[in-house]
Amino acid sequence: MTDLAESPAVRRLADWDPADLQSLVGEYGSPLYVLDLERVRQNYRRLEAAFPDAEILYAVKANALGDVLTTLREAGAGLECASAGEVKRALDAGASGDEVHYTAVNPPARDLDWLVDAWRDHPDLTVTAGSEDTIDRLADRGYNGRLCLRVNPGIGAGHHEKVRTGAAAKFGVPAERAVEVLANAADRGFDVVGIHAHVGSGVSSDQLDAHREFVARMGDLARDVSEALGGSGLEFVDVGGGFGVPYREDEEPLELGSVADATREALGELDARLTIEPGRYFVADAGVLLTAVNTVKAARETTVVGVDAGMTTLLRPAMYDAYHPIRNVTVDAAAANGDDGSERERLPQTVAGPICESGDVFCSDRELPKSERGDVLAIGNAGAYGYEMANQYNSRPRPASVVVDGNAVWVSRQREDVEDVIRPERAASDGLKTTPPRGE
């Protein structure tokens, strides 16, 4: 286990051993997600040191891999879940009910049905509702357990407009209505335990003022709720996560101490504990995506490097125009081995996947060592929202995932094949053949 003082605030793509990465592709194939569990632990310990008095929940949606959930739970984190499926994963990872928060947005009926059943076996589980309708639907199912209210503070921040949740109408009850909604819930027998809001995802240092204002509004609201509930107060005030990580090589990491100080100062005096729920911060720089070059093509204005990963493997560049660092590990491994033939000209290249969409590119005209067929490229900061957003568009199987923990490496997610993609369709077809037609 690396001492925290020796753990850098961010792990750059250049810090990964290129020969190790290339050998993983040789053993497990491509494309391949790789996640380093010790780096996940380091990130947790760093955040725990900055927020020693806070309850820390891991936002499972960032990376729901079972090995990640177990690692963070054993390190001391609770688990914040956005769906019934994530709650099941959390419980399967050994979490107890008091370590799980369910924070869904417009939850489907089947999710609530499953969740309420799970609550009966785990009565310490906390449910966060983002609307009065959700509270009514919980009551209709007999739920009267631990209730947290998601509020909309009217302030949003984050790396892209699609993830700035704090001011989006979709998320939470307007803050000015929160006291009334919670008082009504308490009168109906719910165990009101907290309030929650999330300003957005990937908040950077230059957005600290928005974070501070958002937290101050949450502190004021908590004091108003405590007064309305007869002074009984709340157990916690959850200000979400959203702590950003530097994706670009020249970006500096968050100064966590400053963020923590600003958070505590803005929240003010409260009997309730502070709760935070980062996701990306724990796992982004702990993961890389490895992909093999299969085509190199001279186009009119650029050189197109075709790889076997695409927007079905890593969606963030296509969806958010997100930047991810890219490295040719074949070239770097050869250079590290003293291979005189490893030197290659650097030239602008567009790295593109196999999906029939013009948006299926990982970078455009980025200067990299000249690529050759068979090279392995590494795409950095892929541990957060990488595999979680992978899909089967174009009937493409999803990739495998391996985890690294010290000298140990194992497959944590099997690679799909085409049979895995079409198996549900075949099962449905077989069911139709054995089910009597309607009306019989």
Side-chain angles (χ1 to χ4, degrees), residues 22 25 29-32 289-298 303-310 326-331 344 349-354 362-363 368-379:
Q22 188 170 28
V25 169
S30 174
L32 181 71
L289 170 62
L290 303 177
T291 183
V293 174
N294 54 49
T295 305
V296 179
K297 179 177 69 173
T303 297
V304 177
V305 177
V307 295
D308 60 2
I326 299 177
R327 176 185 184 188
N328 190 314
V329 296
T330 298
V331 171
R344 295 190 198 170
Q349 296 165 80
T350 295
V351 179
F362 293 116
C363 69
L368 298 167
K370 183 178 180 181
S371 297
E372 297 178 0
R373 194 189 318 157
D375 285 351
V376 175
L377 305 185
I379 301 175

Side-chain angles (χ1 to χ4, degrees), residues 155-157 199 203-217 254 258-259 262-263 266:
I155 296 176
V199 71
V203 176
S204 59
S205 297
D206 59 5
Q207 297 171 321
L208 193 56
D209 287 345
H211 173 76
R212 187 183 291 108
E213 175 61 23
F214 150 69
V215 173
R217 293 189 188 186
L254 276 179
S258 299
V259 175
T263 300

